[in-house]
């Protein structure tokens, strides 16, 4: 009888690559995707397309490729070890160092939540004329209820719905304009640095690779573990995770590209400068009609809400990691992280006089913390003690270090541009 049971279990978990199983694994990557189609990205992409037309589309391609490598690598940490990035940091580094690193990640999470909440509040102002402070309260309340009362799987379904709405919104917007697809295709793969474009180039990159997404992805992916003792199961998860990451980041690439294309064919074509998100909606109305401007605001609202939810979850993951625990919304440590991130970020917004500057300064904080998280990830995923035989190969480690160096240099340049 025991032998039959073992044979049944083996057959049940036999590795394969079926469409049905593939659908089960799509989800973690989409939760990460909303982080790089957040309001901060909207500001960067509208500035890129409105100021330089199609020319900076290549930065969307480059930043997405770098993001795929980083997210794929940190997901491997979760699959191979059963630990998220925060847990692995606490377990494998000296406690004072681990606490210091995770503290900087928590500060970055608050900064991320600030940008997401502010973006949702701006969208509510566009749609209903609500004061920014009221929009902040509604956004925080809705996001907190979503996180505290739903499981990962339920939130994944909501996020998939939100991302779908954002995507269809831009498909509609693009159907209203004429795009030179040949020029766009060339711009996607051809690096160019028009005069005065470096701050925009760096901000596009800085807004795509975000610290909280690296913590979040490793947590979500490890929560789906079946059997870490079975190498075939680990291999299967690695294969499915790569598809999920590639598919989800591809959607993010398309939406970010759509933002630039829309700005290029409207604002750049009519020589209209865009300096804030509210202005973009007002400028679209005479060019594309009332429906287009409303849909623009609706897409921004769903972008802000969905990214607020994921940034809050990331904060819960980080605080749980302080105690060496996985994220569990029923646990007080995870709840504390969510509450700190959303409430503190919301409170800070009440002191911000200029919402657009608030978005900009939040990205500065992320820029300062991002290299810390990337180098931490490289250290852990390259360690045989942490990853065993699944540690980074010399080639993978070299690619990751190159990406870290590029991100560090460009983020330093971004900070310098803000200071000048």
């Amino acid at each position: 009888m025991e032998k039959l049971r073992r044979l049944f279990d083996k057959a049940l978990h036999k590795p394969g690559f079926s469409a049905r199983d593939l659908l089960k694994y799509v989800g973690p990557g989409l939760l990460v995707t909303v982080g790089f189609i957040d309001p901060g990205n909207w500001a960067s992409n509208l500035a890129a397309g409105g100021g330089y037309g199609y020319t900076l589309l290549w930065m969307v391609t480059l930043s997405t490729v770098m993001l795929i490598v980083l997210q794929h690598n940190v997901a491997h940490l979760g699959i191979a070890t059963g630990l998220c990035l925060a847990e692995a940091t606490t377990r494998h580094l000296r406690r004072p160092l681990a606490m210091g690193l995770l503290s900087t990640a928590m500060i970055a999470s608050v900064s991320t939540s600030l940008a997401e909440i502010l973006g949702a509040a701006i969208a509510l102002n566009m749609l209903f004329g609500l004061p920014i402070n009221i929009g902040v309260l509604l956004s925080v309340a809705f996001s907190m209820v979503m996180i505290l009362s739903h499981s990962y799987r339920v939130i994944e379904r909501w996020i998939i719905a939100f991302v779908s709405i954002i995507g269809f919104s831009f498909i509609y917007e693009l159907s209203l304009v004429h795009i030179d697809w040949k020029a766009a295709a060339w711009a996607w793969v051809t690096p160019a640095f028009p005069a005065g474009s470096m701050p925009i180039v760096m901000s596009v990159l800085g807004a795509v690779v975000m610290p909280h997404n690296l913590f979040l992805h490793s947590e979500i992916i490890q929560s789906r573990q079946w059997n870490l003792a079975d190498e075939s199961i680990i291999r299967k998860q690695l294969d499915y995770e790569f598809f999920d990451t590639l598919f989800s980041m591809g959607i993010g690439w398309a939406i970010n590209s759509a933002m630039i294309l829309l700005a290029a064919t409207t604002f750049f074509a009519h020589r209209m400068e865009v300096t804030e998100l509210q202005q973009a909606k007002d400028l679209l109305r005479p060019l594309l009609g009332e429906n287009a401007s409303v849909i623009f605001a609706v897409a921004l609202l769903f972008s802000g809400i969905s990214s607020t939810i994921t940034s809050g979850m990331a904060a819960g993951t980080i605080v749980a990691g302080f105690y060496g625990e996985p994220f569990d919304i029923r646990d007080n440590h995870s709840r504390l992280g969510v509450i700190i991130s959303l409430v503190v970020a919301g409170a800070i917004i009440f002191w911000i006089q200029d919402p657009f500057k608030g978005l900009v300064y939040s990205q500065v904080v992320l820029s300062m913390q991002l290299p810390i998280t990337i180098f931490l990830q490289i250290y852990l995923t390259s360690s045989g003690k942490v990853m065993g035989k699944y540690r980074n190969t010399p080639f993978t480690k070299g690619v990751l270090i190159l990406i870290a160096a590029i991100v560090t240099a460009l983020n330093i340049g971004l900070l310098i541009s803000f200071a000048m």
Side-chain angles (χ1 to χ4, degrees), residues 78-368:
I79 292 172
T81 68
L83 302 171
C84 69
L85 184 57
E87 289 177 273
T89 300
T90 300
R91 179 171 298 188
H92 295 288
L93 273 66
R94 293 180 182 273
R95 186 163 183 80
L97 177 59
M99 294 302 98
L101 293 174
L102 292 180
S103 295
T104 67
M106 192 62 194
I107 292 172
S109 176
V110 171
S111 183
T112 301
S113 294
L114 186 152
E116 323 302 31
I117 294 167
L118 190 51
I122 290 172
L124 289 171
N125 175 263
M126 291 178 179
L127 290 168
F128 308 109
L130 292 178
I132 294 296
N133 288 346
I134 299 299
V136 167
L137 292 175
L138 291 175
S139 301
V140 169
F142 179 80
S143 300
M144 198 169 294
V145 168
M146 284 291 296
I147 299 172
L148 298 180
S149 62
H150 293 90
S151 67
Y152 266 140
R153 292 302 180 93
V154 173
I155 291 176
E156 281 181 7
R157 295 189 188 103
W158 277 100
I159 294 298
I160 290 172
F162 289 164
V163 171
S164 299
I165 291 171
I166 297 169
F168 285 124
S169 296
F170 276 102
I171 290 174
Y172 173 78
E173 301 272 0
L174 292 181
S175 71
L176 301 177
V177 297
H178 173 71
I179 298 172
D180 185 344
W181 290 107
K182 183 177 180 180
W186 178 256
W188 266 312
V189 296
T190 307
F193 297 89
S197 66
M198 276 306 295
I200 302 299
V201 166
M202 292 183 289
S203 67
V204 171
L205 175 63
V208 168
V209 186
M210 306 176 75
H212 79 290
N213 270 342
L214 297 172
F215 285 93
L216 181 63
H217 200 177
S218 61
E219 168 58 42
I220 300 169
I221 203 74
Q222 66 86 21
S223 70
R224 295 188 171 200
Q225 289 298 321
W226 286 355
N227 180 7
L228 282 175
D230 190 333
E231 183 179 347
S232 65
I233 299 300
I234 294 177
R235 289 292 181 187
K236 181 177 182 179
Q237 286 190 304
L238 293 175
D239 290 338
Y240 282 129
E241 174 277 321
F242 180 69
F243 172 83
D244 178 48
T245 299
L246 194 63
F247 172 75
S248 301
M249 300 305 108
I251 291 176
W253 170 85
I255 293 176
N256 276 290
S257 296
M259 294 181 196
I260 293 181
L261 292 171
L262 179 65
T265 52
T266 52
F267 309 135
F268 181 75
H270 292 84
R271 295 297 185 266
M272 295 178 175
E273 184 180 4
V274 179
T275 57
E276 57 184 57
L277 294 177
Q278 293 99 321
Q279 181 192 15
K281 174 179 176 287
D282 294 335
L283 291 176
L284 281 175
R285 184 179 294 113
L287 296 175
L288 302 180
E290 180 65 30
N291 288 343
S293 63
V294 171
I295 288 175
F296 177 88
V298 168
L300 176 61
L301 176 61
F302 281 103
S303 170
I305 290 295
S306 57
S307 55
T308 300
I309 292 171
T310 57
S311 68
M313 292 172 63
T317 294
I318 294 168
V319 171
F322 274 101
Y323 300 92
E325 301 169 353
F327 177 85
D328 182 354
I329 202 55
R330 296 167 295 183
D331 181 78
N332 287 335
H333 296 143
S334 297
R335 290 178 178 177
L336 178 63
V338 173
I339 293 170
I340 289 175
S341 182
L342 299 188
V343 173
V344 172
I348 293 173
I349 294 174
F350 279 89
W351 295 92
I352 295 175
Q353 299 296 321
D354 186 332
F356 188 74
K357 286 185 178 179
L359 286 174
V360 172
Y361 291 141
S362 70
Q363 301 306 304
V364 172
V365 175
L366 295 182
S367 298
M368 291 188 292

Side-chain angles (χ1 to χ4, degrees), residues 371-384:
I372 297 174
T373 296
I374 293 179
F375 281 111
L376 169 64
Q377 171 184 328
I378 294 173
Y379 170 77
L380 291 172
T381 57
S382 300
S383 169

